Amino acid sequence: MSFFKKTAQFFSLSLVASAISLLNSILAVRILGPNQYGAYVILFILPNLFSSLGSFGLGPSLIFHLNKKKIPMTPLLGVGALFGFTIGMLYYSGSVLFIDFFSAFVLNDKVDQSLLCISLLSVPFILMQNNLLSLVQGTYRMSAYGILSEIFPASVRFILIIILLYCFDGNILSMVCLTIATHMLSTASCIGFLLKSIEGGLSIRALLPNWEICRSLFSFGGKGYMGAVIQKANQSVVKLILTSFFSVDVVGCYALAENFANYSAMLIRKITISFMPKVSMSTEGEVKNFLPLLISSTTIYMIITGSACATLVTPFVNLMYGEAFASVIPLTWVLLPGAMFLSYIRICNVTFTHTGRPLIKTFIRSIGFVINLLLILVFIHSQGVSGVALAYSTSNFAMAVMATLLLKYYFELSPYQLFIIKQETILLIGNNMKALFFKLRQTVQRNIIRK
């Protein structure tokens, strides 16, 4: 199956999952309200930060070794699961020791310490889940990846929210426990799928970490580790800054606006997920020939979806969330360009990483992180929370320019070659939109038949 057909197949599943996730978001906001929803966002800043710090670049490295190095699935599964859980428990134990300091001096006592300790229990499961999903992604079975990473977690969360809404008091403690339960069940589903996919049966001994494999995994992963950490830490650091300067409800509104902006770039993120194993299976010449077509077509998608999101966010927020979340609308408009630039940067970084240049990703994201922090310091006092959003979009634009220049240097691809819209690009988009809607209709029909 071609890359674009696999992407269309995966995206059709993601559309269904995104609709469920959007419904989950509406229900969560309605249950908690502005202040409690903002507190809920703050509670998961630290787990999300630890999940990026604890990855050690293992996700992309697992995909690279599965496809390029042809390492069997069993030892990679053992390393991914065991390392993720162990590091997660170490982070949990260490953070509990310093919870008083973090709560008082970083979060300004805006959330309950006991809730913060409970939320940190999600870290081991998030790390395990990320590693295991990388292995599923590496098999290039995008339907399975779509179900395990998108459909299953969103559906489980929806069911648990409905139970919470009708059987228990909808409070922030219940929402935190619900989130942890979703990560636990998603991790279990990934383990079940990967164990079933191992050919020749499971050997417990083969699951145990092998020193040579571990050394190779972390050697490759370490080169791109800082790039991944900086990007994810960038988001967490921004929310920590927001928590220090603004009220809890402002943090919640910013998080919602960020989610809306990311919806506009959803297709590009899904393409990046499909693109990663494709690059790891291809030669550099094949990647060079394929990349201009991919970037030019995604440019058209970004213009269309960005315009649609900017138009629809006002009626949607007013209808679904109410006047208390009116500030989400202008924040979404400011964050939209940044979300689109970030999607383009991800495609470039996947190209660099899986053609053996992971340090370039680290360089690009480091520069972007520094620019973002400097601009936040400049804008936050004069522009408030809108200044934080403006800093995000501006720093992502700077990273996009840098990535374009580096593509020209390493792959001899000019901006004209990357962004010019050709006839074959239009035809490709038309054919794949047909495949996408056909696949989406099949998915919806299967779900109706099952029910």
Side-chain angles (χ1 to χ4, degrees):
M1 190 183 293
S2 71
F3 167 72
F4 280 102
K5 284 185 179 178
K6 280 185 176 289
T7 303
Q9 186 182 67
F10 175 51
F11 186 64
S12 66
L13 292 170
S14 297
L15 275 179
V16 176
S18 296
I20 301 170
S21 297
L22 189 59
L23 182 58
N24 290 341
S25 171
I26 294 168
L27 290 172
V29 171
R30 289 287 192 180
I31 290 169
L32 297 177
N35 288 322
Q36 281 205 319
Y37 182 75
Y40 171 77
V41 171
I42 292 169
L43 284 170
F44 281 93
I45 293 175
L46 204 56
N48 290 334
L49 181 61
F50 284 159
S51 68
S52 59
L53 291 174
S55 68
F56 291 96
L58 196 55
S61 186
L62 288 168
I63 296 172
F64 182 84
H65 281 74
L66 186 67
N67 292 312
K68 282 275 174 97
K69 295 288 187 76
K70 304 301 180 186
I71 304 295
M73 173 69 76
T74 308
L76 297 178
L77 171 59
V79 173
L82 183 61
F83 181 79
F85 185 78
T86 304
I87 292 297
M89 289 306 297
L90 288 174
Y91 272 117
Y92 172 77
S93 303
S95 59
V96 168
L97 294 175
F98 297 97
I99 202 75
D100 291 336
F101 171 82
F102 185 80
S103 180
F105 294 99
V106 181
L107 300 182
N108 297 327
D109 289 322
K110 291 182 179 178
V111 293
D112 188 274
Q113 278 191 30
S114 59
L115 289 175
L116 193 56
C117 289
I118 294 170
S119 70
L120 286 165
L121 287 170
S122 63
V123 176
F125 300 103
I126 293 174
L127 286 171
M128 282 182 68
Q129 184 183 351
N130 290 345
N131 291 340
L132 298 175
L133 283 173
S134 293
L135 283 173
V136 178
Q137 185 183 355
T139 64
Y140 212 26
R141 296 166 68 176
M142 299 315 297
S143 292
Y145 181 81
I147 292 169
L148 291 170
S149 67
E150 304 272 349
I151 296 285
F152 183 79
S155 301
V156 168
R157 186 173 176 83
F158 176 72
I159 293 167
L160 292 177
I161 287 177
I162 295 299
I163 294 171
L164 168 67
L165 190 62
Y166 287 102
C167 301
F168 301 97
D169 292 331
N171 55 38
I172 192 167
L173 173 61
S174 304
M175 289 298 296
V176 170
C177 294
L178 177 153
T179 302
I180 296 170
T182 302
H183 285 302
M184 290 174 66
L185 291 171
S186 298
T187 302
S189 67
C190 291
I191 291 173
F193 173 81
L194 290 170
L195 289 177
K196 190 177 179 181
S197 66
I198 293 173
E199 297 178 359
L202 175 67
S203 167
I204 300 298
R205 187 174 181 179
L207 282 170
L208 298 176
N210 177 291
W211 167 248
E212 286 301 319
I213 293 176
C214 288
R215 187 182 61 80
S216 181
L217 279 168
F218 290 108
S219 175
F220 180 87
K223 294 175 183 176
Y225 166 63
M226 286 308 298
V229 166
I230 289 166
Q231 178 56 46
K232 292 178 182 177
N234 192 10
Q235 299 166 351
S236 298
V237 168
V238 167
K239 289 189 175 72
L240 286 175
I241 292 171
L242 288 170
T243 303
S244 299
F245 280 86
F246 303 102
S247 61
V248 172
D249 59 313
V250 171
V251 179
C253 287
Y254 185 91
L256 275 178
E258 198 173 48
N259 289 340
F260 279 120
N262 288 335
Y263 275 122
S264 70
M266 181 178 64
L267 173 60
I268 316 303
R269 293 203 311 278
K270 306 313 174 188
I271 287 176
T272 307
I273 290 168
S274 300
F275 189 48
M276 194 179 294
K278 177 176 176 61
V279 177
S280 68
M281 295 175 180
S282 304
T283 64
E284 191 165 311
E286 290 170 338
V287 173
K288 181 180 175 180
N289 291 332
F290 179 74
L291 197 59
L293 183 60
L294 174 62
I295 290 177
S296 61
S297 54
T298 54
T299 301
I300 296 176
Y301 281 124
M302 283 192 285
I303 292 170
I304 294 171
T305 56
S307 302
C309 184
T311 304
L312 296 175
V313 66
T314 301
F316 185 86
V317 169
N318 290 334
L319 180 65
M320 294 297 178
Y321 296 109
E323 293 182 3
F325 291 91
S327 60
V328 170
I329 299 167
L331 284 174
T332 303
W333 291 336
V334 180
L335 288 167
L336 262 173
M340 295 182 198
F341 291 134
L342 184 59
S343 296
Y344 166 69
I345 294 161
R346 282 175 173 150
I347 292 176
C348 297
N349 284 340
V350 166
T351 303
F352 292 130
T353 299
H354 289 273
T355 53
R357 303 178 181 93
L359 289 175
I360 294 177
K361 177 175 77 172
T362 302
F363 171 73
I364 292 172
R365 287 183 167 173
S366 299
I367 298 298
F369 181 67
V370 172
I371 292 173
N372 190 27
L373 287 183
L374 290 174
L375 290 177
I376 286 174
L377 294 174
V378 171
F379 292 142
I380 195 166
H381 292 289
S382 59
Q383 304 296 325
V385 68
S386 298
V388 177
L390 181 61
Y392 168 82
S393 290
T394 307
S395 62
N396 284 353
F397 172 72
M399 285 194 288
V401 171
M402 203 178 315
T404 304
L405 294 175
L406 288 169
L407 282 177
K408 187 177 189 310
Y409 179 79
Y410 285 102
F411 292 90
E412 298 178 349
L413 292 170
S414 67
Y416 177 83
Q417 290 173 286
L418 292 173
F419 296 105
I420 191 67
I421 309 299
K422 300 177 183 176
Q423 184 178 2
E424 61 179 318
T425 306
I426 304 294
L427 291 173
L428 178 67
I429 291 174
N431 291 335
N432 283 285
M433 286 301 290
K434 290 178 184 177
L436 168 64
F437 287 114
F438 176 73
K439 210 60 191 168
L440 178 61
R441 187 177 65 181
Q442 281 187 323
T443 303
V444 173
Q445 286 173 344
R446 280 199 298 270
N447 289 336
I448 291 171
I449 290 169
R450 284 172 187 167
K451 290 179 181 178

